């Protein structure tokens, strides 16, 4: 008989990526697009108050001077979503007393 529910909306290109990063039901957005292409959707998500799970380094390397002030201004959390980034994050946090 097949599927009879609503059909999904297919999005594509830069506008589609930005729309997905801005969806109102998401609290957290995983940003993992390689290169500068991931900057605009990340900025859109931050401006909407969404936490960022960072899965690429380009966001901070190429966009750090723009991204970091936005993170602070909008009071969101940006946390690593990748083992390499998580290891660096943990090192930067330091060792707890007695650890």
């Amino acid at each position: 008989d097949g599927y009879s529910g609503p059909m999904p909306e297919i999005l594509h290109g830069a506008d589609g990526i930005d729309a997905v990063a801005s969806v109102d039901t998401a609290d957290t957005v995983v940003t993992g697009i390689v290169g500068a292409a991931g900057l605009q959707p990340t900025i859109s998500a931050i401006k909407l108050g969404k936490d960022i799970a960072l899965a690429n380094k380009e966001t901070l390397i190429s966009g750090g001077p723009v991204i970091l002030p936005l993170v602070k201004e909008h009071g969101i959390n940006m946390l690593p979503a990748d083992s390499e980034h998580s290891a660096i994050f943990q090192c930067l946090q330091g060792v707890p007393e007695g650890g």
Side-chain angles (χ1 to χ4, degrees):
D1 291 326
Y3 178 74
S4 63
M7 295 302 292
E9 182 180 358
I10 306 298
L11 304 170
H12 61 89
D15 290 339
I17 294 168
D18 200 51
V20 170
S22 303
V23 70
D24 61 350
T25 56
D27 296 324
T28 302
V29 173
V30 177
T31 60
I33 298 173
V34 177
L39 288 176
Q40 186 55 53
T42 302
I43 290 168
S44 295
I46 292 169
K47 286 182 175 180
L48 291 172
K50 298 176 184 305
D51 290 334
I52 302 297
L54 190 63
N56 69 7
K57 50 188 168 282
E58 290 85 0
T59 298
L60 291 180
I61 292 171
S62 63
V66 172
I67 297 292
L68 294 176
L70 286 173
V71 166
K72 187 174 181 178
E73 177 184 340
H74 293 277
I76 62 105
N77 296 304
M78 180 178 283
L79 297 169
D82 167 284
S83 60
E84 181 182 320
H85 302 109
S86 183
I88 293 168
F89 177 76
Q90 291 174 41
C91 288
L92 293 172
Q93 295 303 304
V95 178
E97 212 170 295

